[in-house]
Amino acid sequence: MSGGTFLGMPSFPAAAAKSTRDRRLRANLSHATRIIREKRARAVAELADWAELRAAGRAIKDHTLRHLDHYLIQLEAAVTAAGGTVHWAADAAEANRIVADLVLATGEREVVKVKSMATQEIGLNEALAAEGIAAYETDLAELIVQLGDDRPSHILVPAIHRNREEIREIFAGRMAAWGRPAPEDLTDDPAQLAEAARLHLREKFLRAKVAVSGANFMVAETGTLVVVESEGNGRMCLTLPETLISVVGIEKVVPSWRDLEVFLQTLPRSSTAERMNPYTSIWTGTLGPEGDGPSAFHLVLLDNGRTTALADRVGRQALRCIRCSACLNVCPVYERAGGHAYGSVYPGPIGAILTPQLRGTTSEIDASLPFASSLCGACYDVCPVAIDIPEVLVHLREQVAGQGGHRLERAAVKAAGFVLDHPGVLAAGERLAGRARGVLPERLPGPGRAWTDSRDLPDLPDQPFRDWWKKNRSGSSAGSSAGSSSRSRSRKDSR
Ligand code: SF4
């Protein structure tokens, strides 16, 4: 992986064609997404004011994005006043350089990590490895992905594509290479797997001097960062090490604690279907050598394409995202294709609109992402910040179509325009098609084949409608009463 791109990834249709043939993957995904989806629906239905919370979340995010410069400067001042240091990173390379230098300056060669989409987006683990620094993932699902030399396939449950037996194999085969080995008699019992992970990770928590995290939110008025999680690994990383480095996208800032109140209600219910997530870690600056927690805190504010997205009037709503993953769990395309097909750390509907904005649409995979949707709108319905994902998808499709791709479609539309503009040519074409109907193939050849791979070509009539009309109805349209009686007969005839 490099800079959030899975190198060598084919376009979405090619990757999805492969993954949809993987029966085990589809079974794992279908089972997991159905359970999360149903639990989320129940958790959301408990709140009578869900619609108001959703509207408030949207309004807070939109307000913050409109005044992002103001709130980021306010945040920087507050973090600095609380003893932290703020760094600004324009892109992945700059962010990786800053973090690597900070770790090297401590003299350490390993870090523990809290699950973080931003650090995956910039390929931080690989960048640190190139500097001789080992980064250990401590979230259970991220641990499974890391030990399995795999890629995450879901925002919230990165190893959603793995079942218990596969996880047992990964732990048994790979844990020893990264630290404490798995017990020899490890089974696929969830309690045993969790215990193996706990023992493996504890050793790392107790030894680590440096931690790297992301953050779900940053509160501008006090310079406070917030991480919500379910396993407690985040709490260990955020409190035990002496140095904490947080890499956070600039869109994660909210103005005040009152604003945070909205998201702390909507995020847990939308993501893990919990009323309140088990661990909410909140910290402001450093506590100093006497206090509990890191004595050095660095905040790396990451742009990496976000200001480009912000400049797009339609596309900027993607920056409202709070990474709950609800849109993935309801998406029929994601459920069948799986997360890897999206070629990015952001899979599913949000990935289809965020990745092309962060990375641009020049590569084949990025240009294909806005088309990775049926536009059914289920993603919009569940989104707790009301991102109109279908609207952004259509907007991005327009951009991709305008940048020179889709030559065949454009040639076809141009040819259709010419034919429709020339009634004689249209009539001749219709007659020819009618005569050839018996010998026409059921599937289109060449690139058009993708269309008929999943659709039947409509049957062609043996004569064009206009010829039929001329033969059966010619002269009957003159005069209103004659016309009316003719229309009435026509309806009967056509039954
Ligand atoms: S787009 Fe909406 S539903 Fe999807 S992850 Fe982001 S906040 Fe959640």
Side-chain angles (χ1 to χ4, degrees):
M1 199 175 82
S2 165
T5 307
F6 298 145
L7 286 177
M9 276 298 295
S11 67
F12 182 85
K18 189 162 171 248
S19 59
T20 48
R21 285 196 291 271
D22 184 337
R23 294 168 77 103
R24 180 153 78 166
L25 173 72
R26 286 187 61 169
N28 292 350
L29 278 172
S30 165
H31 175 72
T33 53
R34 182 174 47 77
I35 291 175
I36 307 174
R37 196 160 63 220
E38 289 170 1
K39 282 171 68 183
R40 177 214 158 263
R42 282 197 294 275
V44 166
E46 285 180 355
L47 286 184
D49 60 347
W50 179 259
E52 286 80 6
L53 283 168
R54 187 175 186 245
R58 172 190 175 147
I60 292 165
K61 283 285 183 177
D62 280 351
H63 167 84
T64 314
L65 290 170
R66 256 199 316 278
H67 305 282
L68 195 56
D69 52 344
H70 166 77
Y71 288 117
L72 286 174
I73 288 168
Q74 187 185 11
L75 175 80
E76 180 185 34
V79 169
T80 308
T85 308
V86 175
H87 310 258
W88 299 81
D91 55 25
E94 190 173 5
N96 287 332
R97 183 73 262 151
I98 292 168
V99 177
D101 285 347
L102 288 170
V103 178
L104 292 171
T106 66
E108 295 296 318
R109 289 296 175 272
E110 59 181 36
V111 301
V112 284
K113 281 188 71 205
V114 186
K115 181 177 177 308
S116 147
M117 300 304 298
T119 58
Q120 286 178 23
E121 177 190 320
I122 60 175
L124 180 64
N125 289 9
E126 293 80 359
L128 291 179
E131 299 285 346
I133 301 164
Y136 299 118
E137 296 290 349
T138 64
D139 171 86
L140 179 56
E142 291 289 2
L143 176 69
I144 295 165
V145 168
Q146 185 171 50
L147 294 180
D149 200 17
D150 198 355
R151 289 179 277 118
S153 66
H154 191 279
I155 290 177
L156 186 71
V157 199
I160 195 169
H161 55 290
R162 299 290 197 184
N163 62 26
R164 281 164 28 185
E165 177 48 32
E166 290 175 281
I167 295 167
R168 192 207 71 79
E169 280 169 23
I170 291 169
F171 280 9
R174 297 286 301 151
M175 258 185 180
W178 288 78
R180 183 183 171 121
E184 284 194 357
D185 56 351
L186 183 69
T187 72
D188 65 358
D189 173 47
Q192 278 201 32
L193 294 173
E195 183 62 8
R198 194 175 290 125
L199 293 171
H200 178 83
L201 290 172
R202 187 141 307 226
E203 180 182 277
K204 308 243 179 297
F205 290 136
L206 294 176
R207 204 174 57 212
K209 295 278 187 289
V210 183
V212 175
S213 82
N216 295 92
F217 305 101
M218 305 181 286
V219 183
E221 66 180 352
T222 53
T224 302
L225 272 74
V226 182
V227 164
V228 298
E229 43 125 4
S230 300
E231 297 170 14
N233 65 301
R235 179 68 56 82
M236 301 285 252
C237 292
L238 297 167
T239 51
L240 290 176
E242 292 161 8
T243 300
L244 172 60
I245 305 166
S246 300
V247 182
V248 190
I250 51 175
E251 81 284 15
K252 293 294 178 73
V253 65
V254 294
S256 70
W257 283 77
R258 285 300 301 273
D259 302 317
L260 193 59
E261 170 193 327
V262 171
F263 300 111
L264 291 184
Q265 293 180 75
T266 53
L267 178 56
R269 285 175 195 264
S270 290
S271 54
T272 49
E274 291 165 310
R275 291 174 180 145
M276 191 69 214
N277 47 285
Y279 296 89
T280 302
S281 297
I282 296 175
W283 73 98
T284 307
T286 56
L287 290 171
E290 317 288 295
D292 197 10
S295 49
F297 170 56
H298 297 271
L299 171 60
V300 182
L301 289 171
L302 178 70
D303 183 337
N304 205 32
R306 286 159 175 77
T307 46
T308 308
L310 190 60
D312 186 317
R313 281 173 187 276
V314 179
R316 68 173 60 140
Q317 56 187 306
L319 298 177
R320 284 188 215 138
C321 179
I322 55 173
R323 311 281 190 266
C324 72
S325 77
C327 57
L328 278 64
N329 302 324
V330 297
C331 177
V333 176
Y334 173 85
E335 185 179 333
R336 283 154 186 83
H340 290 162
Y342 294 80
S344 152
V345 297
Y346 301 110
I350 182 59
I353 61 168
L354 189 59
T355 307
Q357 295 198 78
L358 296 183
R359 301 199 306 217
T361 50
T362 48
S363 75
E364 197 186 356
I365 176 79
D366 294 333
S368 71
L369 289 176
F371 300 86
S373 168
S374 66
L375 300 180
C376 71
C379 47
Y380 170 62
D381 291 343
V382 295
C383 179
V385 283
I387 299 173
D388 193 340
I389 293 176
E391 182 190 23
V392 184
L393 285 168
V394 172
H395 172 69
L396 293 172
R397 287 179 188 189
E398 206 178 319
Q399 277 183 17
V400 172
Q403 72 189 16
H406 296 257
R407 280 197 302 276
L408 276 173
E409 284 97 326
R410 287 197 291 154
V413 169
K414 204 169 167 192
F418 173 81
V419 172
L420 293 170
D421 253 358
H422 297 80
V425 177
L426 177 63
E430 286 172 341
R431 282 187 204 113
L432 190 64
R435 278 188 209 121
R437 64 198 288 259
V439 293
L440 285 177
E442 287 179 357
R443 298 168 77 187
L444 291 172
R449 189 180 164 142
W451 178 262
T452 47
D453 272 350
S454 53
R455 298 171 185 83
D456 290 331
L457 274 180
D459 276 341
L460 287 170
D462 56 3
Q463 63 178 334
F465 173 75
R466 284 186 295 180
D467 288 358
W468 179 91
W469 183 264
K470 223 180 258 171
K471 200 164 134 196
N472 295 285
R473 294 286 179 272
S474 59
S476 62
S477 57
S480 60
S481 63
S484 156
S485 131
S486 165
R487 277 196 295 278
S488 152
R489 276 201 310 280
S490 166
R491 277 199 296 275
K492 278 183 203 145
D493 290 349
S494 63
R495 275 184 204 137

